[in-house]
């Protein structure tokens, strides 16, 4: 699959359109795990923009429009202030930039916790406005009724247990979860409750490895780990963390590149060339036709 296509700004579609391909579907993702076994691990990355989606899409099964965009894109202190408008707009951009992956959009804090009906209204709005096909929400047993309500009304739901960043004010920070037995049992129970309620996949975040393994074995649907274990049925990372956009990242992140240095070194070179008038050169300057 080519990743070299660019956005046609008149249609907002990729141009040229890549060779015809069928977008993956939620049932196909769900059925990757059969009788407790996932032969082909599920690949998910976050995406927030159309161009980013274009570049990631051919390599992923799922693109997650995560509410981590609050910190990564908007410089907010946590995901708590993220709004429905932000999620809908970024999700629409990611859908426009992708052809292959299932696009999942995070429900922001405050958009779903109060009742299943409120969750349905928020989820329906996100799917209608963006074209994404599934939502993700945080929380375990307490959210099971909501997950069942949405799934039985046509909205696929990805769960999220363990470290749930929207609950930072209750948890008191972003430390790994499940270090004591009671917490471990709760996290595995949460995963089980979401699975029974019909979640098609569950993100397991920031837990000690034995819990990730226990949760993965306890549920029929795939688990997708982040700071969890290689034994999960798939993995997700925040793309900017993976690319090395930030100096400080959690221990579980593997920085595949140092994109921060590329950007800052390039800006330094550009600034120098503007100041010494070596940019723009002949090559970047229009002249009248002779
Ligand atoms: O918001 C997000 O990016 C997420 C992932 C870290 C799973 O929820």
């Amino acid at each position: 699959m080519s990743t070299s296509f660019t956005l046609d700004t008149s249609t907002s579609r990729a141009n040229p359109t890549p060779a015809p391909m069928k977008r993956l579907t939620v049932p196909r993702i769900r059925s990757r795990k059969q009788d407790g076994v996932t032969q082909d691990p599920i690949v998910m990355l976050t995406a927030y923009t159309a161009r980013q989606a274009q570049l990631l899409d051919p390599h992923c099964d799922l693109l997650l429009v995560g509410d981590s965009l609050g910190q990564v894109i908007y410089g907010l202190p946590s995901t708590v202030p993220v709004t429905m408008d932000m999620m809908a707009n970024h999700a629409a951009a990611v859908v426009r930039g992708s052809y292959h992956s299932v696009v999942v959009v995070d429900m922001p804090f405050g958009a779903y916790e109060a009742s299943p009906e409120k969750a349905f209204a928020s989820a329906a709005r996100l799917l209608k406005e963006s074209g994404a096909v599934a939502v993700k929400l945080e929380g375990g047993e307490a959210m099971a009724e909501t997950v069942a309500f949405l799934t039985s009304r046509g909205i696929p739901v990805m769960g999220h247990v363990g470290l749930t960043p929207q609950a930072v004010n209750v948890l008191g920070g972003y430390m790994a979860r499940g270090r004591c037995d009671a917490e471990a049992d709760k996290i595995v129970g949460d995963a089980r409750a979401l699975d029974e309620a019909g979640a098609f996949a569950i993100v397991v975040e920031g837990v000690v490895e034995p819990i990730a393994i226990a949760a993965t074995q306890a549920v029929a649907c795939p688990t997708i780990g982040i700071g969890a274990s290689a034994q999960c049925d798939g993995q997700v990372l925040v793309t900017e963390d993976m690319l090395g956009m930030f100096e400080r990242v959690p221990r579980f992140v593997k920085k595949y590149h140092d994109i921060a240095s590329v950007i800052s070194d390039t800006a330094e070179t550009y600034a120098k060339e503007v100041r010494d008038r070596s940019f723009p050169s002949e090559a970047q300057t229009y002249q009248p036709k002779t």
Side-chain angles (χ1 to χ4, degrees), residues 28-276:
R28 281 186 65 192
I29 298 291
R30 168 65 188 80
S31 65
R32 284 275 190 91
K33 186 169 178 177
Q34 294 288 343
D35 302 322
V37 180
T38 303
Q39 298 287 2
D40 192 9
I42 295 166
V43 180
M44 180 160 91
L45 280 170
T46 60
Y48 314 123
T49 67
R51 183 61 181 144
Q52 189 181 36
Q54 285 181 330
L55 296 171
L56 304 177
D57 184 48
H59 311 289
C60 291
D61 301 308
L62 295 145
L63 291 176
L64 171 66
V65 187
D67 61 353
S68 50
L69 61 74
Q71 289 115 314
V72 175
I73 302 284
Y74 290 91
L76 294 168
S78 74
T79 53
V80 172
V82 170
T83 66
M84 285 284 288
D85 283 347
M86 289 177 187
M87 296 313 301
N89 290 338
H90 285 276
V94 168
V95 170
R96 285 195 292 271
S98 62
Y99 287 83
H100 162 72
S101 309
V102 170
V103 178
V104 180
V105 53
D106 252 338
M107 298 258 264
F109 178 70
Y112 63 95
E113 301 87 338
S115 68
E117 289 79 6
K118 164 107 178 157
F120 184 85
S122 299
R125 182 185 154 197
L126 288 176
L127 299 200
K128 277 170 185 280
E129 289 186 12
S130 70
V133 298
V135 295
K136 176 166 82 59
L137 52 80
E138 295 184 9
E141 222 172 322
M143 284 298 129
E145 187 191 348
T146 296
V147 171
F149 192 89
L150 297 189
T151 345
S152 60
R153 286 161 179 77
I155 299 184
V157 182
M158 177 179 282
H160 187 153
V161 301
L163 171 56
T164 46
Q166 291 177 8
V168 62
N169 293 321
V170 172
L171 301 175
Y174 298 102
M175 309 74 80
R177 315 296 303 165
R179 292 198 192 271
C180 69
D181 286 352
E183 206 173 73
D185 290 348
K186 164 96 177 74
I187 293 167
V188 176
D190 281 342
R192 202 177 275 123
L194 296 177
D195 183 44
E196 284 165 4
F200 75 92
I202 302 172
V203 168
V204 181
E205 176 166 0
V207 299
V208 294
E209 184 168 47
I211 296 181
I213 294 174
T216 299
Q217 288 171 352
V219 299
C221 72
T223 58
I224 301 181
I226 174 162
S229 164
Q231 301 303 313
C232 289
D233 301 298
Q235 298 293 324
V236 57
L237 280 178
V238 170
T239 297
E240 282 75 358
D241 286 347
M242 175 190 83
L243 292 174
M245 187 72 167
F246 302 106
E247 280 80 34
R248 274 194 62 234
V249 286
R251 165 165 174 225
F252 60 77
V253 171
K254 178 170 175 186
K255 279 198 200 184
Y256 286 81
H257 276 287
D258 183 10
I259 201 81
S261 297
V262 173
I263 293 173
S264 120
D265 292 352
T266 307
E268 187 182 5
T269 306
Y270 166 75
K272 181 188 151 296
E273 291 188 2
V274 169
R275 290 185 182 116
D276 68 16

